[in-house]
Amino acid sequence: MLTIHAAPLVLPVGAAAVVDGAVAVDGDRISAIGPYEEVAAAHPAARVRRWPGLITPGLRQDQARELLTRCYHPDPREADELGELPLWGEDFERIAVTTDATRRAGSVRRGLQRMLRHGTTHVAGPFGADDPALRTAVARSGLVVQVAPSPVPVREGVPDLDPFAAGGDLARTAGAPLTVGGRADLAVFDVPDEAALYGDGPRPCVATVLAGRLVHRAR
């Protein structure tokens, strides 16, 4: 079914922002981008999802390998003991000593899910033959693996699930611009404008669309 994603602001990257904009998605492709009234008139039978804030391209996570192989993502049932945030450094090393393949696979799966909850649709690769289980998990997630060098210098220290934490603007953090005919990878943030995506303020991701599928929706 064709779906229209509408928001007060659409930021396609590489094209002008659209106030009261919409992105029409047909299958895994974008079929239209423009003012909501125009897009809706052209697709009267489409399902409409209205979002707060703004729609952007899905984001690229440049520290994906570190987040998946050098961090442990606790199971919700472990929250009382381990907390909810990824464990890194000495905490990770302590857990890794006794982590079997099943527990590691669970951590990787949760790490991928948490990336989706931050608007990530693209990850920096490659994920090579040295770790077939990781490569398979990433492939099954549907995330796009990009091997081109990152336009944003990768920070040292604890990796962050938030792609904007690296300091890049939207143009450098987006996985790919929103274009008609392009793959439908979108992120929706409940913020008023592009400037609110940066800095230390909250930037809640309320939805992530991966190849046309709504894979994250904040409750």
Side-chain angles (χ1 to χ4, degrees):
M1 173 184 287
L2 193 146
T3 300
I4 294 173
H5 296 273
L9 185 63
V10 175
L11 301 176
V13 172
V18 184
V19 176
D20 295 326
V23 180
V25 174
D26 190 0
D28 66 349
R29 297 288 148 178
I30 295 172
S31 59
I33 302 171
Y36 170 75
E37 296 298 335
E38 295 180 11
V39 174
H43 303 89
R47 172 177 56 187
V48 177
R49 293 189 185 274
R50 293 186 175 274
W51 302 107
L54 52 84
I55 296 173
T56 74
L59 306 181
R60 169 179 164 131
Q61 175 53 259
D62 287 318
Q63 293 184 295
R65 177 174 284 277
E66 290 79 6
L67 283 164
L68 297 176
T69 65
R70 304 301 303 167
C71 291
Y72 179 74
H73 299 270
D75 187 291
R77 294 168 294 184
E78 301 173 309
D80 288 344
E81 176 187 359
L82 302 177
E84 299 179 353
L85 299 177
L87 300 180
W88 166 261
E90 293 182 0
D91 290 333
F92 169 77
E93 297 296 342
R94 175 176 51 83
I95 291 174
V97 172
T98 58
T99 296
D100 59 15
T102 300
R103 192 181 189 193
R104 178 175 184 263
S107 173
V108 168
R109 184 173 61 254
R110 291 187 294 273
L112 291 166
Q113 292 168 346
R114 288 165 181 168
M115 288 183 198
L116 292 171
R117 293 202 292 265
H118 285 77
T120 295
T121 58
H122 294 61
V123 292
F127 299 92
D130 59 315
D131 196 338
L134 177 62
R135 182 177 57 184
T136 299
V138 174
R140 287 177 175 171
S141 74
L143 291 163
V144 178
V145 179
Q146 295 181 323
V147 296
S150 169
V152 182
V154 177
R155 299 189 312 169
E156 296 293 331
V158 181
D160 198 307
L161 284 163
D162 180 1
F164 285 115
D169 60 10
L170 179 59
R172 293 188 293 171
T173 308
L178 301 180
T179 58
V180 174
R183 191 172 120 140
D185 294 322
L186 321 174
V188 184
F189 295 91
D190 189 7
V191 296
D193 52 36
E194 183 177 350
L197 291 171
Y198 313 133
D200 297 327
R203 39 182 171 267
C205 178
V206 297
T208 305
V209 175
L210 184 67
R213 296 179 297 114
L214 183 63
V215 293
H216 161 64
R217 181 174 187 169
R219 294 180 181 179

